[in-house]
Amino acid sequence: MTVNYFPPGGTDYLRLWTDAVIEIAGGTETIEADGWFVVNRSFPAVQDPTKIVVEILQMNLRGRSEQLGEFLFTLNPRLKSMGEEALIAPDSFESRFKGYFDVYFQLELLEQGKTLINKDPVNISGVFGALPPIGAIGEMAPGDRVAMYDVDNLDGEPVMHMLATRKIVGQYVTGDYASRLEDLHTSQAEAAEFVHAASTVKA
């Protein structure tokens, strides 16, 4: 009998903290931000019950940088930030799953009136013991360097590069708190459609 280690497909509204090393104007700076994100999980596919598809539907991370000023990390609405979570060690609670996201950010520099995006995804991966992965840490691979471009000059030189980022998943965000920041009804509708589509995919 196959044991299903995944919870039913659905949507999680979770706190999120991040730090990132950025390279800008010939120097580097470590920036920090915190807030929340909305993640949708599919049901395991019939043909491979050891994996599920995940998508970040929303993100809202605010922080302040010496070089950037006040900033807000959200998602690029033109590209999906997708990923996968896989069962790798059923008998090891602390490292039962491995997962990744390919994230397309939208970085709003609130004091400068600029918006930056990455053309190539920022790949963030980690190992964790439970879903949702509360307390899990996701990181860029050492040596990765992802360019961020001004949306008004996408063919120009990058404004900065992301050299590293670490994201720590926190507890659930309450519905009241989240609803003050975003329209969760829209996210729930998108999530329901996504779960249905992902759970009926055939090999």
Side-chain angles (χ1 to χ4, degrees):
M1 179 178 176
T2 301
V3 177
N4 180 15
Y5 289 89
F6 295 101
T11 309
D12 297 313
Y13 305 85
L14 301 168
R15 295 287 301 178
L16 188 64
W17 174 88
T18 184
D19 64 1
V21 179
I22 62 171
E23 180 183 76
I24 185 171
T28 61
E29 180 185 358
T30 299
I31 61 176
E32 297 184 13
D34 69 287
W36 53 269
F37 73 141
V38 181
V39 180
N40 188 68
R41 295 173 282 102
S42 73
F43 289 97
V46 174
Q47 64 271 25
D48 189 352
T50 66
K51 296 179 181 179
I52 60 173
V53 178
V54 285
E55 178 182 4
I56 306 177
L57 297 178
Q58 296 178 16
M59 179 182 292
N60 187 299
L61 300 172
R62 296 183 70 100
R64 179 171 182 81
S65 157
E66 290 184 6
Q67 298 189 72
L68 304 178
E70 296 285 342
F71 63 86
L72 172 66
F73 269 117
T74 58
L75 296 177
N76 185 337
R78 301 168 189 83
L79 296 168
K80 289 183 176 294
S81 291
M82 304 292 297
E84 181 180 272
E85 291 170 350
L87 178 69
I88 58 170
D91 299 325
S92 176
F93 176 78
E94 293 186 356
S95 57
R96 181 171 291 170
F97 301 103
K98 183 175 183 179
Y100 75 88
F101 281 106
D102 286 331
V103 185
Y104 291 93
F105 290 108
Q106 182 166 282
L107 176 58
E108 298 178 42
L109 307 183
L110 303 176
E111 296 177 9
Q112 299 182 35
K114 289 184 179 180
T115 299
L116 311 183
I117 62 170
N118 48 304
K119 298 178 183 179
D120 298 314
V122 174
N123 181 270
I124 299 171
S125 62
V127 175
F128 45 93
L131 288 170
I134 292 171
I137 299 174
E139 299 180 280
M140 289 173 62
D144 280 1
R145 186 172 184 266
V146 179
M148 302 288 292
Y149 297 85
D150 188 331
V151 294
D152 294 326
N153 186 22
L154 291 176
D155 294 327
E157 293 297 314
V159 175
M160 68 176 220
H161 291 82
M162 291 186 65
L163 305 183
T165 186
R166 175 179 54 164
K167 300 189 180 301
I168 300 178
V169 179
Q171 300 288 333
Y172 281 103
V173 174
T174 67
D176 288 343
Y177 173 75
S179 65
R180 290 198 299 269
L181 300 174
E182 287 286 341
D183 180 2
L184 295 187
H185 296 295
T186 300
S187 285
Q188 288 168 338
E190 292 177 356
E193 181 179 351
F194 174 84
V195 168
H196 175 74
S199 64
T200 56
V201 170
K202 302 298 183 184

